[in-house]
Amino acid sequence: MNVRTFQRWAERFEAEGDNGLIDRRSPRRAPEEELERMLGLFRDKYADFTVKHFHEQLQKRHGYMLGYTVTKLALHAAGLVRKAPKRSAHRKKRPRRPLRGMLLHQDGSRHVWIEGLPAMDLIVTLDDATSEIYSMLLVEEEGTASTFQALGEVIGEHGLFCALYTDRGSHYFYTPKAGEKVSKTQQTQVGRALSHLGIEHIAAYSPQARGRAERMFGTLQGRLPKDLRLAAIRTVEAANAWLKAHYIAEHNAAFAITAEQQGTAFVADRHEAWREALCVIEERTVGNDNTIAWSGRRLQLPESRLRPHLVKAVVRVHEYPDSTVSVFLGPHRLARFAADGQQISPHTSELGSVLGAVKGKPLRARKRASLTAPARAAVEIARVGAEKRASNRTKKPTRRTNPTAISMA
């Protein structure tokens, strides 16, 4: 006990003797029936839960009204839960960032998250300032696609952030020699995308450096599988939908803290540049049959008004997290393909939509619509004063010669 408490007890003992040491707290006790019900529920259904998690489920699902401390002491007395070992005070080595969006952590943890299914990777992206989780998704194996999907969810909802802190996995960084520092010049697909969006990428060189993410996964491994079991979830698709709809908000309400400063460091991406940045980008040379090779398939490129054919042209291929593919020639999207290699019908805003809008117009309008903006401007300049004047427009009166004046001459 602290000094002041000891002084109070000493003063009461000097004034009242042994009676001064009697416990003066309220004599009210928790109902024995409610404690027995609680202990029975723990034995039958929640034996693998922590006390905190068990108490939350009692309040949520069983109308339990007793406090956490009473519950914990009763479990200790019944021998159902061991007392936690006393730990020394934890010293924080790195202060949190003061604003949301200044630094985000992303990491994956392999664990049996769903009963009856093999171990999978849970990809979590959280804020350093608040420990608030922004994205959670279950995948068979952590990699570039899962990273892009998680980052897309965060940026699409909150905006661009300042820095991302990750481990040195091969999809995050290229390491020339195992155990040494990551390359500053040779980038992975993730590194290229973050650099394009202006987001700093920071590498962690030890598990202790990722302490916040590691402690968070310790909490998730103890709670999330049990919550998925209580929600009767058996598939990855249902689990990912449930995480977004329910669990993230509940987790943040229980564990997120308030940032040191008000406001946010997130910046809105109004042009949605992240959609074409957060994807695998590679170049391909078009073959003689106007096809390109991609992931063991041949993708047939359609005809384009940009050039008579695309043979030997160097095109850019974008593969998105949902496995769809787009092929670009410069800024122009030539075609879109589904995961199975089948071409997707072009969207109304993509290449060729201008011609469709003027399909029923005269030939001159169709020709003009097929030009690029600079070419249309050049045509407008060259056409000034060069077109035939319409018959119904006012014409300059012609000068007529007086016959009388001719005869007199």
Side-chain angles (χ1 to χ4, degrees), residues 18 36 49 55 79 97 102 122 127 151 167 209 222 225 228 235 251 280 297 324 332 339 374 383 401:
D18 292 344
E36 288 298 329
F49 280 53
H55 185 255
R97 298 296 172 92
M102 291 188 67
L122 178 67
D127 199 295
L151 292 176
D167 60 25
L228 290 169
T235 64
H251 180 95
V280 175
R297 298 187 299 270
T324 60
H332 299 277
R383 197 175 59 189
T401 305

Side-chain angles (χ1 to χ4, degrees), residues 78-213:
L80 297 176
V81 174
R82 292 182 180 180
K83 292 184 179 181
K86 187 176 182 180
R87 295 179 294 179
S88 59
H90 174 69
R91 181 179 178 182
K92 294 182 179 178
K93 296 183 181 298
R94 183 184 62 81
R96 294 177 180 269
R97 298 296 172 92
L99 280 177
R100 297 171 64 250
M102 291 188 67
L103 177 66
L104 268 60
H105 299 262
Q106 187 177 90
D107 203 355
S109 176
R110 194 158 191 85
H111 188 67
V112 180
W113 299 101
I114 303 176
E115 292 184 356
L117 296 182
M120 289 178 288
D121 287 336
L122 178 67
I123 312 301
V124 177
T125 309
L126 72 153
D127 199 295
D128 181 75
T130 63
S131 292
E132 181 181 359
I133 292 178
Y134 294 138
S135 171
M136 295 178 68
L137 62 133
L138 278 168
V139 295
E140 291 185 2
E141 187 174 0
E142 180 182 7
T144 301
S146 62
T147 299
F148 283 153
Q149 183 179 348
L151 292 176
E153 291 178 356
V154 176
I155 297 175
E157 182 175 354
H158 301 279
L160 298 172
F161 50 92
C162 299
L164 181 68
Y165 196 62
T166 69
D167 60 25
R168 292 174 294 153
S170 60
H171 58 291
Y172 286 126
F173 293 99
Y174 172 71
T175 306
K177 188 174 182 180
E180 295 188 355
K181 292 187 177 296
V182 300
S183 173
K184 298 293 185 181
T185 57
Q186 189 169 352
Q187 294 180 327
T188 63
Q189 291 285 346
V190 174
R192 184 265 315 153
L194 293 174
S195 178
H196 178 80
L197 296 173
I199 298 173
E200 181 185 5
H201 196 183
I202 304 173
Y205 283 88
S206 68
Q208 292 76 15
R210 307 191 312 274
R212 290 197 176 96

